[in-house]
Amino acid sequence: MQLRHLEIFHAVMLTGTITAAARLMNISQPAATRLLLRAEDQLRYKLFNRVRGRLLPTKEALVLQAESEKLLAGLENLRKLARNLGTASSGHLRIAAAPALCLELVPLAITRFRQKHKDVTFEVETRQYADLVRTVLTQEVDIGIGFDIPPHPGLDLSPLAQGHFYGAFPAAQEKSLPNLVKLNYFTRQPFIGLRSDDPLGSAFSATLNLAGVKLDPIVEVKTNQVALALVEKGAGAAIVDQYTAAARNPAKVAIRRLQPSLPFAVQVMRPKHGPPGLLAGQFGSALDWAEKSIATMLSAPAA
């Protein structure tokens, strides 16, 4: 029994007449009649008896009905899945990102994406550099988002944006701060430093060395969020990435551009040898929108 035969059988069972079944299947009445006759010919028994203008199911048809409904329901689910895969309207996306990117960027992107794709679910993990790269390489996540990721033979790296560092100060200093803060300004007060054992911290340390500025931190931290929390409590000043800066509480933290500006790269990582994933690819446009939205929250850094 072919699929088309199952469809005409199901249509007649639902409607009771060949005319209504043809209308349901969007075919002509003669075409529907031919389909039903071919189905009965292949089965070698009748499926329906004509009684006063209606088609009544035989005992054999009633036995077939339950299984045919299961099969057609499964087929419809398969069709929906195929459509959803093509439009990324459903599915599950696993994301790992640097902690700073999970404050504003990733939440904004997810919210934006789910406005059009409400059936998509997410799993989000914060990871430091080495762990972030590992989870992408081992395909524990679909995409990773991080700062200044060096090239790797197992990774596909896509640039998302060029970010910048900002000076973060206790809000009580707001009125006394210059509009543009030079690096040596941080030698005048307690400084909260970022450890240099990941690419972002390493790039920052290299910039300080090139500028001939030596900053002796009172506290060294692993993440920009911890640095920002210390600034909020009045422990000192810090230099943080723009995504952490955008998530600050303006009543507690004053933000200033740096001179010269200190740029860094924001990249999206995917496993080079894993399946491309339509969902992950389409999520990239939401990340791009979120990044541009965050950039407008802060003034453009000075050149």
Side-chain angles (χ1 to χ4, degrees):
M1 198 173 188
Q2 299 176 11
L3 177 59
R4 200 64 171 159
H5 296 159
L6 276 176
E7 289 176 338
I8 186 62
F9 167 68
H10 187 63
V12 174
M13 290 292 290
L14 286 175
T15 63
T17 70
I18 199 71
T19 301
R23 192 179 304 117
L24 183 64
M25 295 179 63
N26 199 28
I27 59 176
S28 67
Q29 181 177 335
T33 301
R34 286 194 297 271
L35 275 175
L36 183 58
L37 290 175
R38 286 173 187 165
E40 291 178 329
D41 185 56
Q42 285 191 3
L43 292 171
R44 297 184 181 178
Y45 54 78
K46 292 181 69 64
L47 292 169
F48 298 95
N49 292 313
R50 185 176 293 276
V51 179
R52 291 190 292 275
R54 295 189 64 83
L55 295 177
L56 300 182
T58 62
K59 289 186 295 183
E60 293 80 3
L62 292 173
V63 173
L64 283 176
Q65 183 182 20
E67 291 302 318
S68 69
E69 286 179 348
K70 291 178 186 176
L71 180 60
L72 290 171
L75 178 62
E76 181 58 27
N77 288 336
L78 178 61
R79 286 170 175 160
K80 288 179 181 178
L81 175 61
R83 287 195 299 269
N84 290 341
L85 288 173
T87 59
S89 62
S90 69
H92 185 70
L93 191 59
R94 301 167 302 167
I95 300 170
L101 298 173
C102 291
L103 296 175
E104 290 284 334
L105 180 71
V106 172
L108 276 175
I110 289 175
T111 302
R112 172 79 167 189
F113 194 76
R114 292 197 74 254
Q115 287 174 357
K116 293 185 178 179
H117 310 289
K118 296 187 183 300
D119 292 330
V120 175
T121 58
F122 289 84
E123 182 178 337
V124 180
E125 303 176 6
T126 59
R127 299 277 181 167
Q128 297 297 337
Y129 165 69
D131 222 14
L132 176 59
V133 171
R134 180 190 62 78
T135 56
V136 176
L137 287 171
T138 56
Q139 299 182 37
E140 295 173 41
V141 296
D142 301 301
I143 61 173
I145 315 165
F147 301 118
D148 282 340
I149 306 298
H152 189 287
L155 294 177
D156 273 328
L157 293 174
S158 303
L160 178 63
Q162 184 181 69
H164 293 268
F165 285 102
Y166 280 77
F169 303 87
Q173 299 181 28
E174 177 81 59
K175 294 182 180 179
S176 63
L177 292 171
N179 290 329
L180 296 175
V181 174
K182 295 183 178 181
L183 293 176
N184 59 13
Y185 188 87
F186 292 91
T187 63
R188 306 177 190 177
Q189 56 193 298
F191 180 68
I192 299 156
L194 185 66
R195 285 171 51 180
S196 59
D197 53 356
D198 65 22
L200 195 60
S202 178
F204 175 64
S205 296
T207 301
L208 289 178
N209 290 333
L210 286 174
V213 176
K214 181 175 174 56
L215 298 176
D216 295 316
I218 59 163
V219 183
E220 279 192 314
V221 297
K222 184 72 174 176
T223 68
N224 284 280
Q225 300 97 295
V226 176
L228 193 67
L230 285 163
V231 175
E232 285 188 356
K233 301 302 182 185
I239 295 175
V240 300
D241 67 272
Q242 69 184 55
Y243 305 98
T244 301
R248 77 197 186 282
N249 181 345
K252 295 182 178 181
V253 177
I255 293 296
R256 288 294 187 272
R257 293 178 291 159
L258 300 180
Q259 191 178 50
S261 64
L262 307 181
F264 55 84
V266 186
Q267 295 144 299
V268 176
M269 296 178 285
R270 296 186 182 90
K272 184 167 287 185
H273 304 296
L278 181 63
L279 196 64
Q282 293 191 356
F283 185 67
S285 61
L287 282 172
D288 186 62
W289 174 87
E291 200 288 324
K292 288 179 171 59
S293 297
I294 291 170
T296 64
M297 297 179 187
L298 300 167
S299 300

